[in-house]
């Protein structure tokens, strides 16, 4: 049966004044009514109590973090469960879970939304495992995960996803990721959207129906549960281990983690708690809350060093003297890591664009919520990359809802300044981009204004797959045919390469005739 298109249905419901029926998180709906409304938008859930699926994260050579959350009524403000539920977990070397290598129990408490975070240790490096949970007489779906290898590695493949507004389309991109032969997934932020806007209708016009933006732990829990109602997202989580960072919409648009008064800090704490409860996150400290620690360095053998950045929690206001996007401690940690970096590919998981972006020649920066709003710190960090002699730096980025390829220079206004890396900004999973007319008109303007910009394509949605060998780093831009179709096919739009020991990217000759709104080698 063909599912209804979320965006079309929501817009039609808004025009008819029926958002209280169409939007699952509308005020006044019972959990059953909310679920019925979600299912009308194409959502479904795993069997209770494991309705939100299973996931794994932060793979290391001998350990991985396993996650699930008990939510028999996924869209309920509170679950009708005991205060604490014991959850059994099993890890095995085979899909049938007969060759068990580890098992145990973990408490799922109401305090943390009946979520379970199990750090499993004693595993073998570079090994695939399967796992499952059992509670309340039921067994979860089976998940698959992988530990990081050690020593010499000949290849690593990973996917990157970002920006997945539920009301903007189906997650065919995550369906594609679930089927990819990758070692892990990096999510670059905007996993959920907090605002009260649906189908292009401003929040103030639908507030009485949909409800305002989310503020409480219960609000954020329900928003996460709605998003995990997309089967493709649950499949991608179950198929691969994930590394995670966040951007602004996990809390509120364009927020600064160190600004705001008591109401904002309460909202941030609520958002962070719900995020932790719903993610396969392994915290570096004994207590993940109230402030989960996102930034970390992980290695995939001798081939790849992954540095995950947190560009929200510690930032100051933008466009101020001495402003910081990293915070003093994270900046010091990053620079020390640059100094101690091994001889490998260095990948930074970066939620918002690092490269300079002016809208037109001689014009201003397009968005100073990006690194463009923190010029001194960007200059310092990139200068440190250059002075340290760090080579083979690739930055993977989300947020923009469009694809960019940029050369990274120590001074973006000086095309002769040292070239220190490449940035790949991926398409969004579903979140709306600019119109095709805007992209056609402004792609060449952005190219003319930014000499380091090599490629721009904004008409499509999808994800990136990165393939890394000792000789080359390749970025395959996967795109879906139609975000309105949950079963949309996935194709490769184009591929860019970076050769080891040679800074700068180039497009694969086999795909360089694919559609784009700007290519530097053609000047359009």
């Amino acid at each position: 049966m063909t599912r209804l298109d979320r965006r079309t249905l929501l817009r039609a419901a808004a025009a008819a004044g029926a958002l209280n029926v169409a939007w699952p998180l509308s005020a006044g709906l019972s959990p059953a009514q909310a679920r019925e409304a979600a299912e009308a938008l194409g959502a479904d859930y795993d069997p209770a109590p494991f309705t939100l699926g299973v996931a794994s994260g932060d793979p290391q050579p001998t350990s991985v973090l396993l996650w699930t959350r008990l939510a028999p009524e996924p869209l309920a403000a509170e679950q009708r469960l005991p205060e604490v539920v014991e959850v059994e977990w099993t890890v095995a070397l085979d899909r049938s879970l007969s060759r068990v290598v580890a098992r145990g129990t973990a408490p799922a408490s109401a305090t943390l939304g009946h979520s379970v975070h199990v750090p499993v240790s004693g595993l073998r490096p570079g090994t695939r495992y399967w796992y499952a949970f059992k509670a309340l007489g039921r067994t979860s779906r089976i998940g698959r995960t992988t530990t990081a290898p050690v020593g010499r590695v000949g290849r690593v493949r990973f996917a990157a996803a970002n920006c997945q507004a539920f009301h903007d389309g189906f997650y065919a991109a995550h369906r594609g990721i679930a089927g990819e032969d990758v070692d892990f997934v990096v999510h670059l932020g905007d996993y959920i959207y907090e605002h009260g806007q649906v189908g292009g209708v401003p929040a103030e016009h639908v507030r009485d129906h949909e409800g305002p933006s989310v503020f409480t732990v219960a609000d954020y829990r329900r928003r996460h549960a709605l998003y995990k109602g997309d089967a493709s997202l649950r499949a991608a989580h179950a198929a691969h281990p994930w590394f995670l960072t966040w951007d602004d919409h996990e809390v509120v648009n364009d927020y600064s983690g160190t600004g705001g008064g008591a109401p904002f800090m309460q909202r941030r704490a609520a958002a962070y708690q719900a995020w932790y409860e719903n993610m396969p996150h392994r915290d570096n400290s004994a207590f993940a809350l109230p402030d989960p620690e996102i930034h970390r360095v992980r290695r995939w053998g001798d081939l790849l060093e992954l540095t995950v950045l947190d560009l929200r929690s510690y930032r100051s206001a933008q466009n101020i003297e001495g402003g910081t996007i990293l915070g003093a401690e994270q900046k010091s940690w990053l620079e020390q890591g640059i100094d101690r970096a091994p001889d490998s590919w260095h990948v930074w998981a970066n939620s918002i664009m690092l490269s300079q972006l002016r809208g037109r020649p001689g014009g201003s920066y397009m968005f100073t919520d990006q690194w463009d709003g923190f010029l001194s710190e960007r200059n310092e960090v990139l200068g440190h990359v250059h002075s340290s002699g760090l080579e083979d730096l690739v930055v993977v980025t989300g947020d923009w809802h469009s694809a960019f390829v940029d050369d990274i220079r120590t001074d973006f206004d000086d095309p002769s300044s040292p070239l220190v890396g490449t940035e790949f900004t991926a398409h969004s999973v579903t979140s709306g981009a600019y119109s095709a007319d805007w992209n056609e008109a402004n792609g060449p303007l952005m190219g003319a204004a930014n000499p380091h910009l090599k490629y721009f394509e904004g008409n499509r949605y999808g994800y990136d797959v990165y393939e890394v060998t000792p000789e080359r780093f390749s970025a395959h831009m996967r795109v879906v045919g139609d975000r309105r179709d949950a079963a949309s096919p996935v194709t490769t739009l184009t591929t860019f390469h970076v050769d080891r020991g040679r800074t700068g990217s180039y497009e694969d000759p086999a795909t360089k005739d694919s559609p784009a709104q700007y290519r530097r080698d053609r000047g359009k």
Side-chain angles (χ1 to χ4, degrees):
M1 183 177 73
T2 302
R3 289 176 172 171
L4 295 172
D5 165 19
R6 285 177 190 152
R7 299 176 74 242
T8 300
L9 176 57
L10 288 167
R11 283 176 174 160
L19 274 175
N20 61 321
V21 175
W23 183 239
L25 304 184
S26 300
L29 295 184
S30 69
Q33 289 170 328
R35 182 164 181 169
E36 182 180 1
E39 290 173 348
L41 298 179
D44 62 17
Y45 291 91
D46 282 9
F50 300 101
T51 54
L52 307 182
V54 302
S56 66
D58 196 25
Q60 298 184 39
T62 61
S63 68
V64 69
L65 188 286
L66 303 183
W67 170 91
T68 192
R69 181 177 161 231
L70 307 182
E73 297 177 304
L75 298 176
E78 304 223 350
Q79 299 298 318
R80 294 186 290 183
L81 290 170
E83 182 69 22
V84 177
V85 179
E86 289 296 320
V87 179
E88 301 175 34
W89 55 269
T90 301
V91 178
L93 287 167
D94 62 321
R95 190 182 300 274
S96 64
L97 302 183
S98 59
R99 299 167 60 195
V100 175
V101 297
R103 58 164 41 110
T105 61
S109 71
T111 303
L112 292 178
H114 290 98
S115 62
V116 175
H117 297 76
V118 179
V120 182
S121 58
L123 303 177
R124 296 195 308 225
T127 303
R128 177 164 288 178
Y129 293 96
W130 285 261
Y131 63 93
F133 297 91
K134 183 180 291 186
L136 303 173
R138 302 292 181 89
T139 301
S140 72
R141 72 159 68 197
I142 295 173
R144 182 181 66 184
T145 192
T146 305
T147 52
V150 296
R152 190 166 184 81
V153 173
R155 188 189 79 156
V156 58
R157 299 179 88 245
F158 66 100
N162 71 94
C163 300
Q164 52 194 46
F166 181 88
H167 52 266
D168 272 352
F170 292 103
Y171 296 160
H174 280 302
R175 180 172 171 268
I177 288 173
E180 292 278 2
D181 176 20
V182 294
D183 298 288
F184 57 87
V185 176
V186 178
H187 199 285
L188 296 165
D190 290 346
Y191 189 100
I192 64 166
Y193 281 73
E194 86 300 344
H195 51 61
Q197 179 176 333
V198 173
V201 181
E204 59 268 24
H205 294 163
V206 300
R207 185 176 296 270
D208 292 339
H209 301 282
E210 182 206 353
S213 302
V214 292
F215 291 95
T216 68
V217 173
D219 291 340
Y220 282 103
R221 282 175 180 164
R222 296 178 72 219
R223 190 64 57 107
H224 277 279
L226 176 62
Y227 278 55
K228 280 201 169 69
D230 192 298
S232 296
L233 177 58
R234 297 198 308 281
H237 272 299
H240 314 292
W242 286 36
F243 291 101
L244 301 155
T245 189
W246 49 29
D247 195 19
D248 52 344
H249 288 290
E250 282 84 356
V251 180
V252 65
N253 187 44
D254 290 352
Y255 83 95
S256 166
T258 58
F264 166 74
M265 297 306 290
Q266 291 170 356
R267 184 181 191 182
R268 190 187 85 151
Y272 280 10
Q273 177 171 336
W275 182 91
Y276 174 71
E277 291 173 352
N278 285 280
M279 293 295 135
H281 171 71
R282 187 209 309 255
D283 210 72
N284 290 329
S285 62
F287 302 99
L289 298 174
D291 296 303
E293 188 172 281
I294 301 297
H295 62 285
R296 62 200 57 206
V297 173
R298 297 292 184 254
R299 294 192 177 123
W300 213 259
D302 66 348
L303 183 58
L304 184 147
E305 179 187 62
L306 177 68
T307 299
V308 180
L309 300 176
D310 180 351
L311 302 181
R312 284 291 163 188
S313 297
Y314 316 112
R315 66 158 59 192
S316 68
Q318 56 193 264
N319 300 321
I320 63 172
E321 185 176 353
T324 178
I325 194 170
L326 293 165
E329 290 186 12
Q330 187 179 197
K331 182 177 71 174
S332 176
W333 165 86
L334 177 61
E335 291 180 344
Q336 290 174 18
I338 291 170
D339 292 336
R340 298 193 298 261
D343 181 17
S344 67
W345 288 100
H346 306 285
V347 176
W348 293 0
N350 174 72
S351 58
I352 52 176
M353 189 176 285
L354 172 66
S355 300
Q356 176 178 287
L357 186 63
R358 297 188 188 276
R360 60 190 62 245
S364 60
Y365 301 124
M366 292 190 70
F367 302 106
T368 55
D369 187 61
Q370 303 175 165
W371 283 77
D372 276 340
F374 305 88
L375 298 181
S376 295
E377 186 157 276
R378 179 171 66 188
N379 292 341
E380 177 185 345
V381 169
L382 296 182
H384 195 88
V385 169
H386 177 59
S387 64
S388 72
L390 184 77
E391 296 181 335
D392 305 313
L393 172 64
V394 177
V395 178
V396 297
T397 297
D399 180 60
W400 229 93
H401 307 180
S402 299
F404 293 78
V405 179
D406 288 282
D407 288 336
I408 302 174
R409 295 190 178 273
T410 55
D411 182 351
F412 287 105
D413 284 323
D414 180 4
S416 66
S417 67
L419 183 61
V420 296
T422 293
E423 180 173 28
F424 294 111
T425 300
H427 291 96
S428 67
V429 170
T430 59
S431 300
Y434 285 108
S435 69
D437 289 344
W438 190 97
N439 292 332
E440 183 179 7
N442 286 275
L445 293 176
M446 291 189 293
N450 303 279
H452 50 280
L453 174 60
K454 306 186 89 165
Y455 174 92
F456 166 74
E457 202 293 315
N459 290 350
R460 289 162 178 80
Y461 300 87
Y463 59 97
D464 280 3
V465 169
Y466 302 111
E467 185 167 6
V468 189
T469 70
E471 297 79 31
R472 194 164 73 171
F473 187 108
S474 299
H476 306 289
M477 297 183 192
R478 304 280 206 252
V479 293
V480 300
D482 189 343
R483 61 179 168 152
R484 297 171 298 179
D485 179 4
S488 181
V490 174
T491 58
T492 300
L493 178 64
T494 193
T495 295
F496 274 77
H497 304 292
V498 180
D499 291 332
R500 185 78 176 268
R502 293 185 60 188
T503 312
S505 66
Y506 59 95
E507 193 168 9
D508 193 291
T511 60
K512 66 188 311 179
D513 289 329
S514 61
Q517 288 78 59
Y518 179 77
R519 278 183 171 87
R520 180 153 300 280
D521 64 359
R522 298 184 190 179
K524 63 178 183 179

